[in-house]
Every structure is written in C-alpha cells, then in structure tokens.
Amino acid sequence: MAIKLTERAAEEVKRFRKEHNFDDSMLLRIGVAGGGCSGFNYTLNFDDNFDEKSDSKYEHHGVAVVVDKKSALYLDGTEVDWFDSLEKQGFTFNNPNAVKSCGCGSSFQA
C-alpha cells in the first residue's frame, strides 16, 4: 500500500502551488516528525529533492507525493484529504496505523 491523496486534497495542493508560484518540479513531501500531544506530528511541505534510496514517490490526481521510507512505516495506507467548513479548514489524515490521535488531528500515536 502507500499514501493516498484525495482529489480534493490534490486540488488544494495545486491551488497553493499556483498561488505561491511554485514550479512544477516542487514535490509535496508528506512525513512524520516526533512531537505533538500524541507522539508524532504529520508534516506537509514542498521539496525539490527526491532520493530513490530513501524516498518513495507516488502520483495522485496530477500531484507528485514524496514520503521518506522511515515515515512510510507510520503512514502506510493513510489517506490525506482536504476539509473545508465554516469552523475549520485544512488537510486531514485518515491513518489506519494510528492507535490514538489528538483532538485537532495533527498528531497521532502508533
């Protein structure tokens, strides 16, 4: 399995990339970092580096997604979506490996 980006999330990434004049060579890097109230934080950023030895690369709805292999252990099967409502807006992570998540959804425990 891998990490999946929904069509809504991909459209938001494309909008952000265009709004900030990012070149198409900029990859969406999704990862995991230590911290947060549950143990791990999700990370999202743009990167122009891809290392075949330490990264996995996926394409979803026209967006190239890169995940380092260490983060991939915690993110395998995760779906990243975009949520937009009156009270909240942002990316959401549906991670089948998370045994506990914080209330805001930005950190988890595996």
Side-chain angles (χ1 to χ4, degrees), residues 14-84:
K14 290 176 190 177
R15 185 198 64 75
F16 186 88
R17 181 184 283 156
K18 184 177 181 178
E19 186 177 292
H20 291 85
N21 297 318
F22 285 164
D23 189 87
D24 286 341
S25 65
M26 296 297 281
L27 308 164
L28 178 66
R29 182 171 291 278
I30 300 175
V32 172
C37 52
S38 294
F40 292 104
N41 278 328
Y42 295 108
T43 62
L44 284 169
N45 56 52
F46 286 95
D47 193 354
D48 59 357
N49 294 317
F50 171 69
D51 182 350
E52 287 186 31
K53 291 180 183 177
S54 61
D55 294 326
S56 297
K57 188 176 182 181
Y58 311 99
E59 176 110 6
H60 297 286
H61 308 286
V63 175
V65 178
V66 175
V67 181
D68 68 87
K69 292 189 178 179
K70 289 181 183 178
S71 293
L73 296 171
Y74 297 102
L75 296 174
D76 190 36
T78 297
E79 180 182 75
V80 180
D81 198 4
W82 175 255
F83 184 83
D84 192 3

